[in-house]
Amino acid sequence: MSLFKTLPFALLTSLFLIAGCSDNAVTDNKVVLRLGHTLDTQHSVHKAMVFFGERLAVLSNGQMDVKIYPGSQLGTEREMIELLQIGSLSMTKVSASPLEGFAPAMKIFSIPYIFRDNDHYWTVLNSDIGKNLLKGIEDFKLKGLAYYDAGSRSFYTNDKPIHSPADLAGLKIRVLNSPTAVQTVRELGAAATPVAWGELYTALQQGVVDGAENNPPSYYLSRHYEIARYYSLDEHTSVPDVMLMSLRTWENLNPEQQQWVAQAMAESVVFQREAWQASTKESLEMVIADGVEVIYPDKGPFVEAVKPFHDSLRDTEIGALIEQIKAM
């Protein structure tokens, strides 16, 4: 059977869109890295990618360039991961949660309430724990370049506010395509429903789901606040975005080119973290101004509700990792 006949339509479309362009195409003696992602062009992550491309062009003295395909032009996060694995795309940004289907240790980020605060979160990401998690992705033909800030995920709902886990009972909540994210929402009392990001606005509008969970910039820029008018900042998980490169692309670069990419990416991380903080503040201000009810619930009952989940992970590799994180 032809390979094309076995590929999902969206993935096949993506392949044709970038057909004729290898993972790191050389045009007029310039290496062009093709980067796809699912976000709006106003998102701080997209802006950081633009900054990355600008810095890479400067550092390489014009020898390297980045072509960005935003807004799911090349498919879902999982489909773009697959494009990286077969060498048909150079780079992408994904949430760490879907990566657990490729690198199981990445499930650590979908486990609720393991970080004390933002400083603790970044201490872990910049530690050997965070570095080793990125290194482990290489077994799956992916090169983990860096973490971008994606804040904390909180619930937003159509018809009623969430003040405690009891308010989630009976609600269908959209979650990331991650078994651990599904379990987290179930532990908190809701029915977890994976829906592709690009389909979520319609799913909320049509009542396929009663709500979702995400950070403030994503909630605002997706315009989900137009339908889901209650936003409860329970901040149950802090799932970073991960900048990925096809391992094939990385290995095809010479050491100097790899150094340029690494430096440009490190500078973009600093840029993105600053932009993220400003975007989070602005997003909350904008949805409040539009009449959204923003709730600051007592997190105690939420933390208590997920203790059985934490306990179930004792004596496992993930459980040991949780203990290391808590001890930092």
Side-chain angles (χ1 to χ4, degrees):
M1 180 180 292
S2 167
L3 172 62
F4 287 155
K5 290 181 180 179
T6 66
L7 290 173
F9 177 77
L11 181 56
L12 185 58
T13 301
S14 301
L15 284 168
F16 280 122
L17 182 59
I18 56 178
C21 303
S22 66
D23 53 351
N24 51 329
V26 179
T27 305
D28 297 329
N29 297 319
K30 178 185 294 187
V31 174
V32 179
L33 301 175
R34 289 171 171 80
L35 193 169
H37 68 84
T38 62
L39 299 173
D40 184 276
T41 55
Q42 297 305 305
H43 201 288
S44 68
V45 168
H46 174 81
K47 294 177 180 178
M49 292 173 183
V50 173
F51 180 82
F52 162 72
E54 293 170 347
R55 291 299 300 147
L56 184 60
V58 171
L59 292 167
S60 68
N61 196 28
Q63 296 177 49
M64 300 186 75
D65 196 8
V66 179
K67 171 66 175 175
I68 302 176
Y69 299 85
S72 302
Q73 291 181 48
L74 303 184
T76 65
E77 288 193 342
R78 184 176 184 88
E79 287 166 346
M80 284 187 280
I81 290 173
E82 293 169 352
L83 289 172
L84 260 63
Q85 288 180 309
I86 64 176
S88 293
L89 183 65
S90 306
M91 299 177 65
T92 191
K93 185 286 305 177
V94 299
S95 172
S97 287
L99 278 175
E100 79 174 77
F102 300 87
M106 280 287 175
K107 72 188 295 181
I108 190 69
F109 294 114
S110 295
I111 297 169
Y113 299 113
I114 61 171
F115 300 109
R116 291 187 295 275
D117 51 35
N118 196 54
D119 288 341
H120 182 218
Y121 169 70
W122 278 102
T123 296
V124 172
L125 292 185
N126 292 326
S127 72
D128 287 343
I129 291 175
K131 293 173 184 176
N132 289 337
L133 286 169
L134 288 182
K135 183 70 175 176
I137 303 173
E138 292 184 14
D139 293 339
F140 305 89
K141 302 181 181 179
L142 302 168
K143 173 71 177 178
L145 294 174
Y147 296 106
Y148 276 169
D149 199 348
S152 295
R153 302 181 74 86
S154 296
F155 292 109
Y156 50 89
T157 46
N158 292 357
D159 299 322
K160 72 172 186 177
I162 306 300
H163 294 280
S164 72
D167 295 322
L168 288 163
L171 297 185
K172 299 187 295 293
I173 300 295
R174 180 268 180 179
V175 295
L176 290 162
N177 188 16
S178 147
T180 310
V182 168
Q183 186 172 353
T184 291
V185 170
R186 286 177 178 168
E187 294 286 341
L188 290 169
T193 308
V195 175
W197 178 248
E199 300 170 5
L200 182 50
Y201 188 98
T202 302
L204 288 164
Q205 195 173 45
Q206 296 179 350
V208 174
V209 292
D210 302 303
E213 41 95 58
N214 217 318
N215 53 62
S218 294
Y219 171 58
Y220 171 60
L221 292 171
S222 64
R223 307 186 73 87
H224 292 169
Y225 69 92
E226 295 176 344
I227 305 163
R229 304 292 287 172
Y230 300 99
Y231 193 28
S232 180
L233 296 177
D234 67 296
E235 299 180 322
H236 47 273
T237 54
S238 297
V239 182
D241 282 337
V242 181
M243 290 300 302
L244 296 175
M245 178 175 278
S246 166
L247 188 59
R248 171 179 157 180
T249 299
W250 177 259
E251 292 176 343
N252 282 342
L253 299 176
N254 63 44
E256 186 175 36
Q257 291 169 332
Q258 291 178 349
Q259 178 57 39
W260 290 335
V261 169
Q263 183 175 340
M265 183 55 64
E267 292 180 18
S268 79
V269 168
V270 176
F271 176 95
Q272 191 270 334
R273 285 185 64 181
E274 294 177 354
W276 179 265
Q277 293 174 5
S279 179
T280 297
K281 181 175 182 292
E282 179 188 12
S283 296
L284 286 173
E285 289 173 349
M286 294 299 288
V287 299
I288 289 171
D290 195 70
V292 167
E293 182 178 340
V294 175
I295 300 111
Y296 296 84
D298 177 5
K299 294 181 184 178
F302 291 88
V303 174
E304 191 68 27
V306 301
K307 279 186 177 179
F309 186 11
H310 285 210
D311 292 342
S312 72
L313 296 168
R314 287 179 183 171
D315 303 320
T316 68
E317 183 179 349
I318 292 296
L321 193 55
I322 291 173
E323 292 305 313
Q324 291 178 45
I325 288 171
K326 288 182 176 179
M328 291 185 72

